[in-house]
Every structure is written in structure tokens, then in C-alpha cells.
Amino acid sequence: MSPEEMTYLTVLLISIPIGFLFKKGGLRTKKFGGAVAGLLLVLATCQIHALHSLVTILGTWLIINLSPRSCHYLTLGWTFSYLLFFRTVASFGFPDPTPYTNAIQLLLTLKMVSLANEVQEFSQAKKQEVASFTKSPVIGVIPKMPGLVEILCYSYCYVGLMTGPFYRYRTHYDWLNQPDSSAIPSWQPLLSRSKMIPIFGVAFLAVSHFFPLDYVRSDAFYERGLPFRLFYMMPIFFVFRMRFYVAWLCAECACIAAAFGAYPVAAKSRSGGGPTMEYEPLSRPADGEVSSITYDYETIKNIDPHGTDFCVKVKDGMRYWNMTVQWWLAQYIYKSAPVRSYVMRSAWTMLISAYWHGIHPGYYLSFLTIPLCLAAEGAMESGFLKHLSPAGRLYGDWVQWFLKMRAYDYMCMGFVLLTFEDTVRYWSAIYYCIHVGAVAFFLLGKLLGGRRDQGGSPKGKDGAVQNPQRRE
């Protein structure tokens, strides 16, 4: 385990007992205490580079005050432009930021874009109220315009500051204004969520010891046979998953300890986005008994290890991984993509995601392989898989799961090797098998689908071929 990983783990573990202290505090304790704790963490890990986050925040505050009704895209342009400066700051004669500064800046960028969108929704709701002379509650809309102090407290709140999960300003506001957070359960959800952390941690340490990433960069690795080179990407992706499972589960536990992101089950909260339905908030009647409302922490759920490992499709694998960031990408990037087709929208989203992660070529090579896999998956689904019998589909799902995992193994290599040379060297050493396979499956799926269309298979209203043997 590297010193950087030890720092992250230490911060996460300390955040859990601190969370229980903040859970007992009132609005001011949470608001200012949480921000002070986060700011101290920023100063300790970033030093002078903490100015990057401050500049980003002040720029966003200025935009939303000058143009609250159209601040979303302006803030998106501002924060993503500043990310480019942040990545290339050394070329302007400034010192390179610390890795911790990079992590904080990434999450802050998501927060500022989301905040601007929330302010814009608030402004539009107010305008609609004036026009209709009625006030109708809108789920998730902030109750008032945040000032600079509120934005700073949201931005520097210690919860999720360095590792996530991402959360909206409204989620932070609801945490501050919980009527009785001491009555919201924390211990049982925390124990349930943390039970697999030791197993994932031991697996990470053991496998990373026997299968180091640096070996892939050595000449000795490429003297090994093709089966070994193909196999090696599997433990690399395994280590990659275990590292983030531990980090994100610990981060979720820190949220749960503070009752951060807790909403009634009836709210049907989504990861990152929060409640999607009206709900009854927790209240304590005059007799002192707490109303029987079941709470969950879906809003801050960032990882589903079982879903990640055992889902069948590539597109489902993305939904179970870094879930709060996936919500952000779907909400603010995918929905506003300049193209309409699913694959091209996904390509646009993956391009923005790669840019958000950094400027290393490996990010772009990996993320932009995903749309190709999605296209192949869609072609095989419509041309072959959906026409199988239930028994045939079961076998097909297992094959598809195996190929999905190998695709993610392959793409992970670009994500961890980072450079163009190292990524292409490895991919070429295994003959670009996933790229070639994806193209082959795409063509095969289109060919099979075309033959079924020519054969006069019955079609539904949307033009899709219907399978009389399976209920869709």
C-alpha cells in the first residue's frame, strides 16, 4: 500500500467516529464544524494548492449571482475550463498540485455544476410561481438562494471531500436541517455496509503483492507467452476494484455515521440525486415517541460490489460503479448531449468523463472503448440474444457476463497505465482482442438481425423483432 493510499484510508477511518459527533450536533455545529474540519483537511493535504478550490468556488458564486436563470452551462464551462488550467498549471510556471488537490478539485467541479443547476431550477420555480400566483412544491428544489457562506460550507464539508460520494447542495441542506438526526439509525446500516471491507482489503493487499502493475511496464513481461499476458489484466482489474470498494464503502460509512444522506424509504432516493418522491420527514411528537419511519442511505450509495461483479451487461456495470458520479453524468451530460442515438450519447458522456478524470491518454483510450462495446452489446441483443429460449438465454447470459468482465479488464489497463505508449504496448501484445471482438460481435449482430428482418419476423410498434417464445 502506497503512502498516498494510507493517507486516504486514515482520513476515511477518522471520518467515521467524527460522523457520530456531528450527528449529535445542531445546525450550526454541522454547518460550520463540518466546513472547518474539511478546510483543515484541505490545508493539511493541499497547502498552497488549496487556492485552486477557492478560485473555483468564488467563480461559481459570481456566475450564479450575475445570471441565476442561466448559470448551469456557464458554470459547466467555467469549472471545466479551470480543470484544463489546473491540469496544465506547471506549463504556466506554477507548481504541480498534490494528488489530494486533484481529488478535491474533481469532486468540487461536480458540486459546483450541480449547485448552479439547483440555483437555476430555483430561479425558474420562483418565476413560475409569480406567473401562476400559486406555490407548488417541487421535489429536490432548494428552498432559498444560497449565499457565499452556504456555498463555502457545502464545498468544504468534510463529508466526501476527497473520495466522494458526490452529493447535491440540497442533500447537504437537508442534513443540516434534520429535525432529529439522533433518531435516525446509523449503527445497523453502518455495520451492514462495512462487513465486507476487511475481506476486500485483504484481497487487495494479497493480489496486489503477487501481481504488481509495474511488471506490465517491464520488458520481461512481454517475453512471457500470450496466455499469461491475457491473464494478467484480470488480477490488475481485481486489485483496481478492491481498492475502490474499500475506499467507497468506508466513505459511505462516514456518511452513515453522521446520518448524512438519510431519507425515508418512501422518498425513493437515487444515488447522487436524492429523493424522487414526496416524503414525510422525521418528527418527534409531544409524547416523545418517534414516528415509525424507515430510513435508507441510497442517496450516498456509491458502489454496489455484487452488481459490479455479477451484472451481465457492460452498460449495467457502469450503473453499479461510482454511482453518484454516474448520476451526475447522466443528469448533466448525457441528457444534454448534442446527439440523439444511445451509443453516440454514451460516447459523448465517456469523452466528458475522460476529460474530467484527467488528460492522460489512457483515460481516453479506455473510456472511448466503452461505446464500441455498447454498440456490440446492443447489436447482439437485438439480433440474437433476445430470440433465444429461456434456457438458451441463461447460457447466453453467462457468456455475456464473461465477455463483459474481460472487456472491463481490458479497459482498466488503459486507466491504470495512463500513457499512450504503455497502453498501446499492452493492447497490441494481446492483439487488441476486445476491440476486434467488439467489432466482430457488432457485425454479427447486425447480420443476424438483418436476416431476421428479411425472414419476415413479426415486429412490434417500435419496429423491434418480437420473440413469440419469450415475454419481454
Side-chain angles (χ1 to χ4, degrees):
M1 184 179 290
S2 68
E4 184 181 327
E5 290 169 337
M6 280 297 299
T7 300
Y8 281 118
L9 183 60
T10 302
V11 169
L12 289 169
L13 293 178
I14 292 175
S15 297
I16 296 175
I18 288 178
F20 284 105
L21 297 177
F22 278 110
K23 179 182 178 180
K24 297 177 181 179
L27 186 151
R28 292 181 63 85
T29 300
K30 291 178 178 179
K31 181 177 180 178
F32 296 108
V36 169
L39 186 57
L40 290 175
L41 178 61
V42 171
L43 294 175
T45 56
C46 304
Q47 293 93 41
I48 189 63
H49 303 292
L51 288 173
H52 288 294
S53 60
L54 182 60
V55 170
T56 304
I57 294 167
L58 292 176
T60 302
W61 170 73
L62 187 62
I63 290 171
I64 65 177
N65 277 276
L66 291 176
S67 182
R69 293 182 180 177
S70 57
C71 58
H72 171 60
Y73 286 111
L74 292 174
T75 302
L76 183 66
W78 153 245
T79 54
F80 272 64
S81 297
Y82 194 85
L83 266 184
L84 180 61
F85 168 74
F86 177 78
R87 310 282 190 200
T88 58
V89 68
S91 61
F92 294 94
F94 298 103
D96 280 320
T98 65
Y100 312 108
T101 311
N102 179 63
I104 291 168
Q105 192 70 24
L106 285 178
L107 288 161
L108 182 64
T109 298
L110 303 185
K111 285 183 175 181
M112 293 299 97
V113 173
S114 177
L115 172 65
N117 182 265
E118 291 179 84
V119 169
Q120 186 169 303
E121 287 181 345
F122 170 77
S123 299
Q124 291 170 351
K126 282 293 183 182
K127 182 180 179 181
Q128 194 169 15
E129 285 177 18
V130 173
S132 62
F133 298 101
T134 58
K135 183 177 181 180
S136 56
V138 182
I139 300 171
V141 173
I142 57 178
K144 61 181 180 179
M145 184 83 163
L148 180 58
V149 173
E150 286 73 26
I151 295 173
L152 287 169
C153 290
Y154 165 60
S155 302
Y156 287 122
C157 180
Y158 81 98
V159 177
L161 186 63
M162 297 176 68
T163 58
F166 157 78
Y167 50 87
R168 302 166 68 232
Y169 174 79
R170 179 59 194 257
T171 304
H172 181 257
Y173 177 89
D174 289 342
W175 177 61
L176 298 181
N177 292 275
Q178 285 171 343
D180 191 4
S181 56
S182 62
I184 299 175
S186 285
W187 272 112
Q188 191 59 42
L190 189 149
L191 292 175
S192 175
R193 202 67 181 135
S194 63
K195 61 187 177 183
M196 291 298 295
I197 291 177
I199 297 174
F200 293 146
V202 171
F204 164 73
L205 293 173
V207 179
S208 63
H209 174 76
F210 290 105
F211 299 95
L213 175 64
D214 286 339
Y215 184 49
V216 182
R217 298 187 176 99
S218 68
D219 292 335
F221 175 82
Y222 294 96
E223 294 174 0
R224 306 291 293 265
L226 177 61
F228 179 82
R229 297 197 301 268
L230 280 168
F231 161 78
Y232 207 85
M233 64 182 181
M234 295 171 62
I236 293 296
F237 184 45
F238 180 84
V239 170
F240 182 83
R241 297 200 310 278
M242 296 303 110
R243 178 192 293 114
F244 281 101
Y245 288 171
V246 171
W248 286 334
L249 288 174
C250 285
E252 287 182 35
C253 289
C255 294
I256 294 170
F260 191 101
Y263 289 99
V265 173
K268 295 185 179 179
S269 300
R270 295 184 62 188
S271 297
T276 61
M277 303 288 289
E278 289 287 349
Y279 63 93
E280 177 188 354
L282 183 70
S283 60
R284 188 180 290 275
D287 58 7
E289 293 185 4
V290 180
S291 58
S292 57
I293 299 176
T294 305
Y295 272 63
D296 65 33
Y297 290 90
E298 289 298 313
T299 299
I300 51 85
K301 184 177 181 180
N302 204 33
I303 186 66
D304 183 341
H306 182 271
T308 300
D309 285 349
F310 295 104
C311 68
V312 173
K313 298 180 179 181
V314 171
K315 68 175 182 179
D316 291 334
M318 292 189 292
R319 292 172 183 169
Y320 295 122
W321 177 267
N322 206 359
M323 296 164 71
T324 58
V325 174
Q326 295 299 333
W327 178 88
W328 187 95
L329 287 169
Q331 191 74 16
Y332 303 126
I333 304 300
Y334 180 86
K335 289 183 179 180
S336 59
V339 288
R340 296 192 58 130
S341 75
Y342 168 69
V343 172
M344 294 308 297
R345 278 190 171 193
S346 299
W348 170 255
T349 306
M350 291 301 101
L351 177 63
I352 299 300
S353 180
Y355 175 82
W356 176 73
H357 278 87
I359 57 175
H360 294 291
Y363 293 147
Y364 297 85
L365 292 171
S366 294
F367 278 110
L368 294 179
T369 301
I370 291 177
L372 177 61
C373 294
L374 293 175
E377 197 172 66
M380 287 298 294
E381 175 68 27
S382 60
F384 177 67
L385 293 173
K386 69 183 296 183
H387 304 284
L388 295 175
S389 66
R393 185 61 193 248
L394 179 62
Y395 288 109
D397 284 347
W398 277 107
V399 173
Q400 190 175 4
W401 168 81
F402 177 83
L403 294 174
K404 181 264 301 186
M405 293 302 294
R406 303 295 74 78
Y408 277 120
D409 293 340
Y410 182 88
M411 290 182 282
C412 176
M413 296 305 292
F415 199 92
V416 296
L417 290 173
L418 297 178
T419 67
F420 180 85
E421 292 77 10
D422 287 340
T423 303
V424 170
R425 186 185 187 190
Y426 177 76
W427 282 355
S428 64
I430 57 174
Y431 302 102
Y432 300 97
C433 57
I434 296 299
H435 285 102
V436 173
V439 171
F441 280 121
F442 176 78
L443 295 176
L444 177 61
K446 289 296 183 182
L447 178 63
L448 293 174
R451 286 184 175 179
R452 289 184 183 276
D453 290 343
Q454 293 175 4
S457 297
K459 296 184 178 182
K461 294 180 180 179
D462 59 354
V465 177
Q466 302 296 303
N467 179 12
Q469 297 180 353
R470 292 187 71 239
R471 181 176 298 174
E472 296 299 331

